[in-house]
Amino acid sequence: MTETTIRTVLVGKAAPFGPPGRTSAIAKTPVDGPRKVGPEGFLEDEQADRRVHGGPEKAIHHYPLDHHPAWRDDLGGDVPFLGQPGAFGENLSTLGLTEADVCVGDVFRAGSAVLQVTQGRQPCWKLNHRFGVPDMAKRVQTTGRTGWYYRVLEPGEIGAGDTLSLIERPHSDWSLTRLLHVLYVDTLNREALAQMAALPVLAQAWRTLAERRLERGAVEDWNGRLKG
């Protein structure tokens, strides 16, 4: 059974970020003690652009500290935030669990809450500004070191030191690594896209994306998301 310890819980408020007039809550701060979680995530947390962040299917963002050594190897030691929980704007930071270990629809108990994996992260241009690396979002996408999102099946409280335990795995053949490969590498594999579109536990936005690729026989434009 997959299990790890939640090392850090982080929340943040929207603040000016990047180009003039833009805001983001990517700068999240560690908090002590159990924090309440509702259908849209931690009650103290915010998302600046609700069109693309937050909501019930992206209520909580999880990013593995396991990826930081590879990022240091790729980018060098002078990039800000690397090695720190919250570097990627996540709410949960752990060691010992990556996209290769997690499947779409996995249900985890976290503290007194129950969470379900809905999708991987689609990296955006805000990561470029966050790290001062012009193509950071593209690097996150290409490497598959994206982190993932949860929906909240049962509200409760989650705190640093709580155990994150897998309690159900309905789609063991759909690891996040496989999902990200279909999304970003084998982008027009019709059989895989049809299976992806039929996954009932996958976030609706990603099922719709798969359906549109099948209908159009083409991949959506990533430039706006990756470059801003």
Side-chain angles (χ1 to χ4, degrees), residues 68-213:
H68 285 250
W71 284 123
R72 284 199 209 94
D73 289 344
D74 291 349
L75 301 171
D78 298 328
V79 176
F81 307 115
L82 285 185
Q84 301 176 23
F88 289 81
E90 68 268 24
N91 300 114
L92 301 181
S93 179
T94 63
L95 273 171
L97 200 64
T98 72
E99 295 81 359
D101 308 305
V102 175
C103 297
V104 178
D106 278 1
V107 178
F108 287 90
R109 183 168 297 282
S112 61
V114 176
L115 313 177
Q116 184 173 44
V117 177
T118 57
Q119 64 173 81
R121 180 183 187 162
Q122 280 194 292
C124 76
W125 61 269
K126 291 181 180 179
L127 292 174
N128 304 340
H129 288 267
R130 173 78 165 162
F131 292 98
V133 178
D135 63 344
M136 188 65 181
K138 184 177 181 182
R139 287 171 180 261
V140 170
Q141 177 169 300
T142 301
T143 59
R145 302 176 205 144
T146 65
W148 57 89
Y149 288 103
Y150 299 102
R151 63 171 63 94
V152 178
L153 297 183
E154 294 181 16
E157 294 186 338
I158 303 174
D162 284 345
T163 300
L164 184 72
S165 300
L166 180 68
I167 58 177
E168 184 179 349
R169 172 163 284 172
H171 295 285
S172 59
D173 55 338
W174 273 99
S175 71
L176 289 178
T177 296
R178 180 188 176 194
L179 182 68
L180 294 166
H181 183 79
V182 174
L183 198 66
Y184 300 131
V185 181
D186 193 13
T187 53
L188 291 176
N189 182 323
R190 295 189 64 83
E191 181 179 356
L193 287 171
Q195 292 177 25
M196 181 176 160
L199 283 171
V201 294
L202 184 63
Q204 181 61 57
W206 279 28
R207 283 185 279 152
T208 299
L209 185 153
E211 290 167 357
R212 287 177 177 167
R213 285 190 189 175

Side-chain angles (χ1 to χ4, degrees), residues 52-69:
V52 292
H53 296 292
E57 295 199 324
K58 292 188 282 187
I60 293 176
H61 181 226
H62 184 156
Y63 197 84
L65 279 169
D66 308 66
H67 293 326
H68 285 250

